[in-house]
Amino acid sequence: MASLIEEIRALGTQALADIRAAASLEQIEQVRVAVMGRKSRLTQLMRELGALSEDERRKAGMVLNEVKDAVADELKKRRAALEAAARAREIAGQSVDITLPGRARLFGRRHPLVQVRRQIEEIFISMGFSIALGPEIENDFHNFAALNFPDEHPARDMQDTFYLPGGWLLRTHTSPVQIRAMLATTPPLAVIAPGRVYRADADVTHSPQFHQVEGLLVDRRVTLGDLKGVLEAFAHRMFGAQYQTRFRPSFFPFTEPSAEMDIGCVICSGVGCRVCGGTGWLEILGAGMVHPAVFENVGYDPEKWTGFAFGMGIERIAMLKYGINDIRLFFENDKRFLEQF
Ligand code: PHE
């Protein structure tokens, strides 16, 4: 009897040592089966208790239960510890290394001509102009006749204008949108019209397709002073207030008087260089007071209404602003060029 109890205690001590030595969840399961499983010595001893006298069975049973509880307890503790360790290892393996350099993402950007167009639009919108659009395929009336071009005007020549079958043509400027805007509404009005225009011309500063922004303001008692004020404010916001502006007399069939506006050369600051041809000035747009004949062509009373108009090339503005010397760069879509804006 004493030896039975000793065996039980020895089994217990050994089991606890085995459990503590188990280094993984698989090992702890093996130990559990070996110690508590149906074929284990402990289970076998349980069965043998039945053969003992009642007193002996009670004493041995007590020890056996004590040992079983202790073993079950230890199994639970060891399993929990091993599970926690396994989980900690898993988390450590998954952890994010925040010192790893990120993967650079390539961002697209707006084409420089779109950027400049939007900038021009924003400046005039802030002054109360709204945007008007017209078709790129036009007829003689909107592109020339209504704008007071005489029949024999050289701009109508095949060498400048792309003609299409059926009397159509590719608009040579955005000025036909002046006519369309005036025909569509009654004065007062103030619009700008950005868009593509076409001329049979190609070299470093001319492209057969390019972009213009037209401006038109019609109201009562509009003066040349209003035109100068609006365009000077535009030039200062577009290029910087440090640049001077000047108006030179010029000619357009649809404005009278007509002018061209220059700004102090952005390359040499007015000293004189190759870009400004030694003059210290750069031409940036054409403008003038709306010709009475144009008002008559759209049914506006020239005695009642006055107005000014202007037109500028977006490529030219962009070339001066960024110091670009070849207009073709805008249309080749070389990423090394486009990425600089
Ligand atoms: N349409 C003219 C051009 O293309 C520019 C312009 C527009 C001039 C409006 C005066 C008024 O050269």
Side-chain angles (χ1 to χ4, degrees), residues 147 149 172-176 178 197 199 210 212-216 227 250-255 257-260 283 285-290 308-313:
L147 288 163
F149 279 77
T172 58
H173 51 177
T174 42
S175 300
Q178 287 188 37
V197 300
R199 282 179 206 174
F210 61 106
Q212 286 188 334
V213 177
E214 191 82 7
L216 172 70
L227 173 62
S250 185
F251 176 81
F252 302 101
F254 40 95
T255 47
S258 301
E260 278 171 337
E283 182 215 317
L285 54 81
M289 304 307 290
V290 179
F308 62 70
F310 56 86
M312 67 187 86

Short mmCIF file of all heavy atoms in Angstrom, two decimals, residues 147 149 172-176 178 197 199 210 212-216 227 250-255 257-260 283 285-290 308-313, ligand 1:
data_model
loop_
_atom_site.label_atom_id
_atom_site.label_comp_id
_atom_site.label_asym_id
_atom_site.label_seq_id
_atom_site.Cartn_x
_atom_site.Cartn_y
_atom_site.Cartn_z
N LEU A 147 -16.42 89.77 -88.60
CA LEU A 147 -15.34 90.46 -87.89
C LEU A 147 -14.74 91.58 -88.76
O LEU A 147 -13.67 92.10 -88.46
CB LEU A 147 -14.25 89.46 -87.47
CG LEU A 147 -14.65 88.53 -86.31
CD1 LEU A 147 -13.72 87.32 -86.24
CD2 LEU A 147 -14.65 89.29 -84.98
N PHE A 149 -13.51 91.61 -91.78
CA PHE A 149 -12.40 91.35 -92.71
C PHE A 149 -12.89 91.65 -94.12
O PHE A 149 -13.94 91.12 -94.53
CB PHE A 149 -11.97 89.88 -92.67
CG PHE A 149 -11.06 89.51 -91.52
CD1 PHE A 149 -11.57 89.32 -90.24
CD2 PHE A 149 -9.70 89.30 -91.73
CE1 PHE A 149 -10.75 88.95 -89.18
CE2 PHE A 149 -8.86 88.93 -90.68
CZ PHE A 149 -9.39 88.76 -89.40
N THR A 172 -9.10 80.35 -87.57
CA THR A 172 -7.71 80.82 -87.54
C THR A 172 -7.42 81.61 -86.26
O THR A 172 -6.29 81.98 -86.00
CB THR A 172 -7.43 81.73 -88.75
OG1 THR A 172 -8.37 82.83 -88.72
CG2 THR A 172 -7.59 80.97 -90.05
N HIS A 173 -8.48 81.89 -85.50
CA HIS A 173 -8.34 82.58 -84.21
C HIS A 173 -9.60 82.31 -83.39
O HIS A 173 -10.56 81.70 -83.88
CB HIS A 173 -8.10 84.08 -84.41
CG HIS A 173 -9.07 84.80 -85.32
ND1 HIS A 173 -9.02 86.14 -85.55
CD2 HIS A 173 -10.13 84.34 -86.06
CE1 HIS A 173 -9.99 86.49 -86.39
NE2 HIS A 173 -10.68 85.41 -86.70
N THR A 174 -9.60 82.74 -82.13
CA THR A 174 -10.80 82.53 -81.30
C THR A 174 -11.79 83.69 -81.43
O THR A 174 -12.86 83.66 -80.82
CB THR A 174 -10.42 82.34 -79.80
OG1 THR A 174 -9.40 83.28 -79.46
CG2 THR A 174 -9.91 80.93 -79.54
N SER A 175 -11.47 84.70 -82.26
CA SER A 175 -12.37 85.85 -82.41
C SER A 175 -13.79 85.48 -82.90
O SER A 175 -14.74 86.18 -82.54
CB SER A 175 -11.74 86.90 -83.32
OG SER A 175 -10.51 87.34 -82.75
N PRO A 176 -13.98 84.40 -83.70
CA PRO A 176 -15.37 84.06 -84.05
C PRO A 176 -16.25 83.80 -82.82
O PRO A 176 -17.48 83.96 -82.90
CB PRO A 176 -15.25 82.79 -84.91
CG PRO A 176 -13.84 82.33 -84.78
CD PRO A 176 -13.04 83.55 -84.45
N GLN A 178 -16.35 85.71 -80.30
CA GLN A 178 -16.93 87.04 -80.01
C GLN A 178 -18.29 87.17 -80.69
O GLN A 178 -19.27 87.58 -80.07
CB GLN A 178 -16.04 88.16 -80.58
CG GLN A 178 -14.74 88.43 -79.87
CD GLN A 178 -14.09 89.70 -80.46
OE1 GLN A 178 -14.78 90.66 -80.81
NE2 GLN A 178 -12.78 89.69 -80.57
N VAL A 197 -6.82 76.81 -82.25
CA VAL A 197 -6.93 77.52 -83.52
C VAL A 197 -5.90 76.94 -84.48
O VAL A 197 -4.98 76.22 -84.06
CB VAL A 197 -6.74 79.04 -83.33
CG1 VAL A 197 -7.79 79.61 -82.38
CG2 VAL A 197 -5.34 79.35 -82.82
N ARG A 199 -3.49 77.46 -88.18
CA ARG A 199 -2.95 78.27 -89.27
C ARG A 199 -1.87 77.48 -89.99
O ARG A 199 -1.11 76.75 -89.35
CB ARG A 199 -2.33 79.58 -88.75
CG ARG A 199 -3.37 80.63 -88.41
CD ARG A 199 -2.74 81.90 -87.88
NE ARG A 199 -3.71 82.59 -87.02
CZ ARG A 199 -3.46 83.68 -86.31
NH1 ARG A 199 -2.25 84.23 -86.35
NH2 ARG A 199 -4.39 84.23 -85.57
N PHE A 210 -2.55 75.63 -82.56
CA PHE A 210 -2.11 76.22 -81.29
C PHE A 210 -3.33 76.71 -80.52
O PHE A 210 -4.46 76.37 -80.87
CB PHE A 210 -1.06 77.32 -81.53
CG PHE A 210 -1.52 78.49 -82.35
CD1 PHE A 210 -1.78 79.72 -81.76
CD2 PHE A 210 -1.69 78.39 -83.73
CE1 PHE A 210 -2.19 80.83 -82.51
CE2 PHE A 210 -2.11 79.48 -84.49
CZ PHE A 210 -2.36 80.70 -83.87
N GLN A 212 -5.46 79.80 -78.23
CA GLN A 212 -5.63 81.21 -77.90
C GLN A 212 -6.65 81.37 -76.78
O GLN A 212 -7.45 80.48 -76.52
CB GLN A 212 -6.16 82.00 -79.11
CG GLN A 212 -5.13 82.24 -80.21
CD GLN A 212 -5.66 83.17 -81.28
OE1 GLN A 212 -6.87 83.27 -81.50
NE2 GLN A 212 -4.75 83.86 -81.97
N VAL A 213 -6.60 82.52 -76.13
CA VAL A 213 -7.69 82.93 -75.24
C VAL A 213 -8.17 84.29 -75.75
O VAL A 213 -7.39 85.23 -75.89
CB VAL A 213 -7.26 83.05 -73.77
CG1 VAL A 213 -8.44 83.55 -72.91
CG2 VAL A 213 -6.80 81.70 -73.23
N GLU A 214 -9.46 84.34 -76.07
CA GLU A 214 -10.09 85.58 -76.54
C GLU A 214 -10.75 86.26 -75.36
O GLU A 214 -11.18 85.59 -74.41
CB GLU A 214 -11.17 85.18 -77.56
CG GLU A 214 -11.74 86.35 -78.34
CD GLU A 214 -10.83 86.71 -79.50
OE1 GLU A 214 -9.87 85.97 -79.76
OE2 GLU A 214 -11.08 87.74 -80.15
N GLY A 215 -10.84 87.55 -75.40
CA GLY A 215 -11.61 88.27 -74.38
C GLY A 215 -12.53 89.27 -75.05
O GLY A 215 -12.19 89.85 -76.08
N LEU A 216 -13.73 89.45 -74.49
CA LEU A 216 -14.67 90.43 -75.03
C LEU A 216 -15.50 91.00 -73.89
O LEU A 216 -16.06 90.25 -73.08
CB LEU A 216 -15.61 89.76 -76.05
CG LEU A 216 -16.79 90.64 -76.54
CD1 LEU A 216 -16.30 91.79 -77.43
CD2 LEU A 216 -17.82 89.79 -77.28
N LEU A 227 -9.73 98.93 -70.94
CA LEU A 227 -8.97 97.86 -71.58
C LEU A 227 -7.54 97.79 -71.03
O LEU A 227 -7.06 96.71 -70.65
CB LEU A 227 -8.93 98.09 -73.10
CG LEU A 227 -8.04 97.14 -73.92
CD1 LEU A 227 -8.53 95.71 -73.80
CD2 LEU A 227 -8.02 97.57 -75.39
N SER A 250 -1.67 99.29 -83.41
CA SER A 250 -1.60 98.17 -84.33
C SER A 250 -2.85 98.17 -85.20
O SER A 250 -3.58 99.17 -85.21
CB SER A 250 -1.48 96.86 -83.54
OG SER A 250 -1.28 95.76 -84.41
N PHE A 251 -3.07 97.09 -85.91
CA PHE A 251 -4.28 97.03 -86.73
C PHE A 251 -4.93 95.65 -86.70
O PHE A 251 -4.24 94.63 -86.87
CB PHE A 251 -3.98 97.39 -88.19
CG PHE A 251 -5.21 97.24 -89.04
CD1 PHE A 251 -6.17 98.26 -89.07
CD2 PHE A 251 -5.45 96.06 -89.75
CE1 PHE A 251 -7.34 98.10 -89.82
CE2 PHE A 251 -6.63 95.91 -90.50
CZ PHE A 251 -7.57 96.93 -90.53
N PHE A 252 -6.22 95.61 -86.44
CA PHE A 252 -7.06 94.42 -86.66
C PHE A 252 -8.35 94.93 -87.28
O PHE A 252 -8.83 96.01 -86.91
CB PHE A 252 -7.37 93.69 -85.34
CG PHE A 252 -6.13 93.25 -84.59
CD1 PHE A 252 -5.66 93.98 -83.51
CD2 PHE A 252 -5.43 92.11 -85.00
CE1 PHE A 252 -4.51 93.59 -82.82
CE2 PHE A 252 -4.28 91.72 -84.32
CZ PHE A 252 -3.82 92.45 -83.23
N PRO A 253 -8.94 94.20 -88.23
CA PRO A 253 -10.15 94.69 -88.89
C PRO A 253 -11.33 94.88 -87.94
O PRO A 253 -12.22 95.67 -88.20
CB PRO A 253 -10.47 93.60 -89.92
CG PRO A 253 -9.24 92.78 -90.06
CD PRO A 253 -8.48 92.92 -88.77
N PHE A 254 -11.32 94.13 -86.82
CA PHE A 254 -12.50 94.10 -85.92
C PHE A 254 -12.36 95.00 -84.71
O PHE A 254 -13.24 95.00 -83.84
CB PHE A 254 -12.81 92.66 -85.50
CG PHE A 254 -11.57 91.84 -85.21
CD1 PHE A 254 -11.09 91.72 -83.92
CD2 PHE A 254 -10.87 91.19 -86.24
CE1 PHE A 254 -9.94 90.98 -83.65
CE2 PHE A 254 -9.72 90.46 -85.99
CZ PHE A 254 -9.25 90.35 -84.69
N THR A 255 -11.24 95.72 -84.59
CA THR A 255 -11.10 96.68 -83.48
C THR A 255 -10.60 98.02 -84.01
O THR A 255 -9.87 98.09 -84.99
CB THR A 255 -10.09 96.16 -82.42
OG1 THR A 255 -8.92 95.70 -83.07
CG2 THR A 255 -10.69 95.05 -81.57
N PRO A 257 -9.72 101.93 -81.95
CA PRO A 257 -8.33 101.67 -82.33
C PRO A 257 -7.88 100.28 -81.90
O PRO A 257 -8.50 99.65 -81.05
CB PRO A 257 -7.57 102.76 -81.56
CG PRO A 257 -8.41 103.04 -80.36
CD PRO A 257 -9.83 102.86 -80.82
N SER A 258 -6.76 99.82 -82.51
CA SER A 258 -6.18 98.52 -82.18
C SER A 258 -4.81 98.72 -81.56
O SER A 258 -4.15 99.74 -81.81
CB SER A 258 -6.03 97.67 -83.45
OG SER A 258 -7.27 97.47 -84.08
N ALA A 259 -4.41 97.76 -80.78
CA ALA A 259 -3.10 97.87 -80.11
C ALA A 259 -2.50 96.50 -79.91
O ALA A 259 -3.20 95.48 -79.96
CB ALA A 259 -3.25 98.57 -78.77
N GLU A 260 -1.20 96.48 -79.69
CA GLU A 260 -0.54 95.28 -79.20
C GLU A 260 0.06 95.64 -77.86
O GLU A 260 0.56 96.75 -77.68
CB GLU A 260 0.52 94.79 -80.18
CG GLU A 260 -0.11 93.96 -81.29
CD GLU A 260 0.85 93.62 -82.42
OE1 GLU A 260 1.85 94.34 -82.60
OE2 GLU A 260 0.58 92.64 -83.11
N GLU A 283 6.07 91.19 -77.15
CA GLU A 283 4.65 91.32 -77.45
C GLU A 283 3.90 90.14 -76.84
O GLU A 283 4.32 88.99 -77.01
CB GLU A 283 4.46 91.33 -78.97
CG GLU A 283 3.03 91.50 -79.39
CD GLU A 283 2.69 90.71 -80.65
OE1 GLU A 283 3.49 90.72 -81.59
OE2 GLU A 283 1.62 90.08 -80.64
N LEU A 285 0.07 90.19 -76.58
CA LEU A 285 -1.32 90.04 -77.06
C LEU A 285 -1.73 91.17 -77.98
O LEU A 285 -1.09 92.22 -78.05
CB LEU A 285 -2.30 89.93 -75.88
CG LEU A 285 -2.30 91.01 -74.80
CD1 LEU A 285 -3.09 92.24 -75.24
CD2 LEU A 285 -2.91 90.45 -73.52
N GLY A 286 -2.84 90.93 -78.68
CA GLY A 286 -3.47 91.95 -79.51
C GLY A 286 -4.78 92.34 -78.87
O GLY A 286 -5.42 91.54 -78.21
N ALA A 287 -5.18 93.61 -79.09
CA ALA A 287 -6.39 94.09 -78.42
C ALA A 287 -6.92 95.32 -79.13
O ALA A 287 -6.31 95.84 -80.07
CB ALA A 287 -6.07 94.42 -76.96
N GLY A 288 -8.06 95.80 -78.66
CA GLY A 288 -8.60 97.04 -79.21
C GLY A 288 -10.04 97.24 -78.79
O GLY A 288 -10.63 96.40 -78.11
N MET A 289 -10.61 98.39 -79.22
CA MET A 289 -12.01 98.68 -78.95
C MET A 289 -12.86 98.08 -80.07
O MET A 289 -12.50 98.22 -81.26
CB MET A 289 -12.23 100.21 -78.88
CG MET A 289 -11.34 100.92 -77.85
SD MET A 289 -11.44 100.22 -76.18
CE MET A 289 -13.10 100.72 -75.71
N VAL A 290 -13.94 97.42 -79.71
CA VAL A 290 -14.76 96.72 -80.72
C VAL A 290 -15.20 97.70 -81.81
O VAL A 290 -15.73 98.78 -81.52
CB VAL A 290 -15.99 96.06 -80.06
CG1 VAL A 290 -16.84 95.35 -81.13
CG2 VAL A 290 -15.55 95.06 -78.98
N PHE A 308 -14.47 96.33 -75.51
CA PHE A 308 -13.09 96.03 -75.93
C PHE A 308 -12.95 94.53 -76.14
O PHE A 308 -13.75 93.73 -75.62
CB PHE A 308 -12.05 96.57 -74.94
CG PHE A 308 -12.11 96.02 -73.53
CD1 PHE A 308 -11.75 94.69 -73.27
CD2 PHE A 308 -12.46 96.84 -72.47
CE1 PHE A 308 -11.77 94.19 -71.97
CE2 PHE A 308 -12.49 96.34 -71.16
CZ PHE A 308 -12.14 95.02 -70.91
N ALA A 309 -11.90 94.16 -76.90
CA ALA A 309 -11.62 92.75 -77.15
C ALA A 309 -10.11 92.56 -77.11
O ALA A 309 -9.35 93.51 -77.31
CB ALA A 309 -12.17 92.32 -78.51
N PHE A 310 -9.71 91.36 -76.78
CA PHE A 310 -8.27 91.05 -76.82
C PHE A 310 -8.10 89.58 -77.15
O PHE A 310 -9.04 88.78 -77.02
CB PHE A 310 -7.59 91.40 -75.48
CG PHE A 310 -8.20 90.72 -74.27
CD1 PHE A 310 -7.81 89.44 -73.89
CD2 PHE A 310 -9.18 91.37 -73.52
CE1 PHE A 310 -8.38 88.84 -72.78
CE2 PHE A 310 -9.75 90.77 -72.42
CZ PHE A 310 -9.36 89.50 -72.04
N GLY A 311 -6.90 89.23 -77.60
CA GLY A 311 -6.61 87.83 -77.91
C GLY A 311 -5.14 87.55 -77.68
O GLY A 311 -4.29 88.37 -78.00
N MET A 312 -4.88 86.39 -77.07
CA MET A 312 -3.47 86.04 -76.82
C MET A 312 -3.23 84.57 -77.12
O MET A 312 -4.15 83.75 -77.06
CB MET A 312 -3.11 86.34 -75.36
CG MET A 312 -3.83 85.46 -74.36
SD MET A 312 -3.53 85.99 -72.66
CE MET A 312 -4.80 87.23 -72.46
N GLY A 313 -1.98 84.24 -77.47
CA GLY A 313 -1.61 82.84 -77.71
C GLY A 313 -1.14 82.21 -76.41
O GLY A 313 -0.27 82.74 -75.73
N1 PHE B 1 -7.65 87.56 -83.29
C1 PHE B 1 -6.42 88.29 -83.21
C2 PHE B 1 -5.26 87.37 -83.67
O1 PHE B 1 -5.46 86.18 -83.75
C3 PHE B 1 -6.12 88.78 -81.83
C4 PHE B 1 -7.10 89.81 -81.36
C5 PHE B 1 -8.24 89.43 -80.68
C6 PHE B 1 -6.86 91.17 -81.57
C7 PHE B 1 -9.12 90.39 -80.22
C8 PHE B 1 -7.73 92.11 -81.11
C9 PHE B 1 -8.86 91.72 -80.45
O2 PHE B 1 -4.18 87.83 -83.94
#
